[in-house]
Amino acid sequence: MKIEKLNKTFLKAQVAIYFLLGIIVFSIRFYFNFSQELIPGVNGGYYPLQVRSILTNGHLGFSDMPLIFYFDAFLIKFISLFGFSITDSLILSVVKIVDSISIPLLLLPLYKIVQFSNPLPVKLFKFSILAFSVLSFSPLILTSDLQKNALAIFFLFCFLAYYLSFQINRKKVNIFLSIAFLIFIGLTHFGTFVFSMFFLFLMVLYTYKKKVIFPISILITISLGIVFLFDFSRFNRLVSFWTVVFEKPAVLNGMLSPPDLLIILFSIFLAIIGIITLKTKSNNFKPFQKTILFASIVCLIALSFPLLDGEYFKRLSLFLFIPQILLILQISTVINVKQLKTTSISFVIFTLLSIIAVSGHPKETVIDKIAYEELRKLKSVIKNDNETIIIARHGLEWWTAWALHTKVGQDKAIDSVFFEKYKNVIFITQINGFSKDIQRTPFHEPNVPENSEIIFSSEYFKVFKLNNRQ
């Protein structure tokens, strides 16, 4: 009876820790999102714009994986049943709240994954892993304008939890649930889906060897079909990524910040430890643990490779915390208590460094409050019809469309067909009201053609209308 009581007390304490940590992480993300009127990040305006398009037009305004946008729209419609008007303010608030809760939710499937691994009973270790999973560099960066990534990563942990359940007990319901969450990932975020498929491929390859080639080929074909259906441009990028993946190596183009270098070194170190452990203590691992170790090792090496193109590295390195967590969970079952305590302290230190680094450079909106109010005044000089399009800097174009309810684009999209479609082509260049984040991005103001006349000028913006077309 005493042992049973102790187990119940321990379980309650575990649940309390998970819940408390989830609340803390939600509060931090909530603060990041609501400390500014608009949504921080270069693509902050993209999310409410897509959701508003669904609510007003019944479809997305731009081709993309649709799940998060329709989920947000559903929540807004549900809230409206209680008498709330569907306003821009409500849309912004719901989008921010959904983003605030996405990463904390991954603690639910992570609980299941931790139980499968069954590490030694070192309390600090479990806490360090939990804190690392939601408060290290990547989870803290995956906020505001990276909402699709954040929600898809929650689905990814759910997929892994049920896939591992199937590996352990072979219940069909677990494989069905793992496939369902894999589909959710595909319908939410392209990059996370590619990572998930790669990780799955490595796991089944290690387990089934050549037998896996045919079923995986079918799965990849179906997956490509889903991407093709919802976003043709991303499909093109997927099938041609090998031509640009090493185009501008991150390490040779000054694109690696101190946190990036730390993440690379940490990933390589863990990969080496994983290789040594898998080779020397293979008999101590269960079959499913070996598959996770193998997949994690390969991912750590591949995604932290500094010769990857800078843009690819920035995107792919955001997933490194996942194989880092999975690898250390498996290793924790075969090392001694002293080594596990050292590992726990290392993860706590890494998490604290992450919090300090991200808090010191929080994301900001691409346009400050005063400039945004000035942007809204442009309604009086720009028509809102199907024959008008505004060309603006990447990031600014989303808030331009949000404020003015007009079509937008970037100058790189301009071609001969473009001019046949739009009668009024407007260029907006920003002069003042930039956030500090703009100084750290490669995006520039649009190139205004010479055959354009200025139709508006202020302290913050210059607006040009294209006259004679060439």
Side-chain angles (χ1 to χ4, degrees), residues 9 85 198 275 317 372 377 460 466:
T9 304
S85 299
F198 182 55
I275 292 168
S317 63
Y372 177 68
K377 295 177 183 178
Y460 295 94
L466 187 63

Side-chain angles (χ1 to χ4, degrees), residues 449-463:
E450 291 182 4
N451 54 328
S452 303
E453 65 171 313
I454 190 163
I455 59 174
F456 178 87
S457 180
S458 73
E459 182 185 349
Y460 295 94
F461 300 102
K462 282 188 177 181
V463 182

Side-chain angles (χ1 to χ4, degrees), residues 164-176:
L164 295 178
S165 292
F166 174 74
Q167 291 295 312
I168 293 167
N169 55 37
R170 296 292 170 177
K171 289 183 179 179
K172 290 182 179 178
V173 66
N174 289 324
I175 197 65
F176 288 135

Side-chain angles (χ1 to χ4, degrees), residues 407-437:
K407 293 184 178 181
V408 292
Q410 296 175 40
D411 53 3
K412 65 181 181 181
I414 296 176
D415 55 23
S416 57
V417 178
F418 185 89
F419 293 117
E420 293 174 10
K421 190 174 181 181
Y422 299 106
K423 182 179 178 181
N424 301 308
V425 180
I426 309 295
F427 291 81
I428 292 182
T429 59
Q430 188 175 351
I431 304 167
N432 287 307
F434 299 99
S435 72
K436 293 177 183 176
D437 271 358

Side-chain angles (χ1 to χ4, degrees), residues 89-147:
S89 178
L90 178 63
I91 294 171
L92 281 172
S93 295
V94 169
V95 169
K96 289 178 178 182
I97 289 170
V98 170
D99 177 57
S100 299
I101 202 170
S102 295
I103 288 293
L105 281 175
L106 72 78
L107 290 170
L108 297 175
L110 182 59
Y111 174 82
K112 197 170 187 176
I113 294 170
V114 171
Q115 299 308 112
F116 290 150
S117 302
N118 194 26
L120 293 173
V122 175
K123 292 178 182 178
L124 180 61
F125 174 70
K126 284 189 178 181
F127 174 77
S128 69
I129 285 295
L130 297 181
F132 181 84
S133 70
V134 289
L135 290 171
S136 57
F137 285 111
S138 292
L140 288 174
I141 291 170
L142 291 169
T143 185
S144 300
D145 66 335
L146 294 172
Q147 298 183 24

Side-chain angles (χ1 to χ4, degrees), residues 246-256 261 306-310:
F246 300 111
E247 189 175 27
K248 294 179 180 178
V251 72
L252 302 178
N253 285 272
M255 295 189 70
L256 297 181
L261 293 171
L307 291 180
L308 285 171
D309 177 83

Side-chain angles (χ1 to χ4, degrees), residues 41 107 112 156 203 374:
L107 290 170
K112 197 170 187 176
L156 170 56
M203 288 194 292
E374 184 77 16

